[in-house]
Amino acid sequence: MGLTTGDLTSSRTAAEQLTPATLAEARRLLGTQLARTRKAAGVTQSRLAAEVRWSRSTVANVETARQVASREFWTACDVALGAGGLLMAEWARTAALARRLNDQTAVNLIRRQWAESPGVCVCRELKRLFEAPDASLFLGVSPVVSVRVNEVVHG
């Protein structure tokens, strides 16, 4: 069966830095899983596209990681192919990886801003990070600490 996107996310700790290449590989593996599941069900790309109401080129592009698809696309494919939640679970892991990479990029930007200009206020970026739904998990602080930091930053 090989490597899955779950292998990529579960083998990393919150402190490890992700790279765009890691996310690209997770998306490639997710697309491969879709193609494998579709073929095992004996369904062509055209037939799957018709069933999920997306184009055949979208199915092909997602399978080869040339296109990122929405949650709705993955839900429809999971149901149409009778995958029993497998495709949705793999999509969720990949989406979490993408969010983590975006958050990591934002944190790195703030760190650079502080290093370059310690006197510049970066409150807006901090507020955005602390208001993110999974900020306490990503930043390694409790929700109470997040709220308290937000109060201190914004008076």
Side-chain angles (χ1 to χ4, degrees), residues 84-145:
L86 173 70
L87 292 174
M88 280 305 301
E90 292 299 314
W91 173 84
R93 286 186 194 101
T94 303
L97 204 61
R99 285 190 307 273
R100 203 171 126 213
L101 182 60
N102 286 338
D103 289 346
Q104 175 184 295
T105 301
V107 167
N108 289 338
L109 173 65
I110 290 170
R111 286 183 179 144
R112 273 196 318 277
Q113 288 173 341
W114 275 344
E116 293 169 4
S117 274
V120 175
C121 179
V122 291
C123 299
R124 201 172 321 143
E125 284 299 313
L126 283 173
K127 183 175 190 268
R128 188 187 66 74
L129 284 174
F130 281 110
E131 288 177 346
D134 57 352
S136 61
L137 296 175
F138 174 72
L139 296 171
V141 295
S142 74
V144 173
V145 172

Side-chain angles (χ1 to χ4, degrees), residues 4-74:
T4 68
T5 55
D7 296 330
L8 288 173
T9 55
S10 64
S11 66
R12 300 192 175 280
T13 65
E16 288 183 68
Q17 293 289 303
L18 295 175
T19 65
T22 304
L23 179 57
E25 177 64 7
R27 287 180 172 152
R28 187 191 66 74
L29 291 169
L30 180 58
T32 300
Q33 184 66 48
L34 174 60
R36 197 178 291 142
T37 303
R38 177 183 56 75
K39 289 173 186 174
V43 176
T44 65
Q45 287 179 343
S46 296
R47 185 168 141 216
L48 177 60
E51 287 186 34
V52 299
R53 297 189 177 148
W54 261 269
S55 69
R56 190 213 53 81
S57 64
T58 295
V59 173
N61 287 336
V62 170
E63 286 184 353
T64 57
R66 287 188 305 256
Q67 183 175 341
V68 176
S70 66
R71 175 186 194 96
E72 292 78 15
F73 172 87
W74 288 102

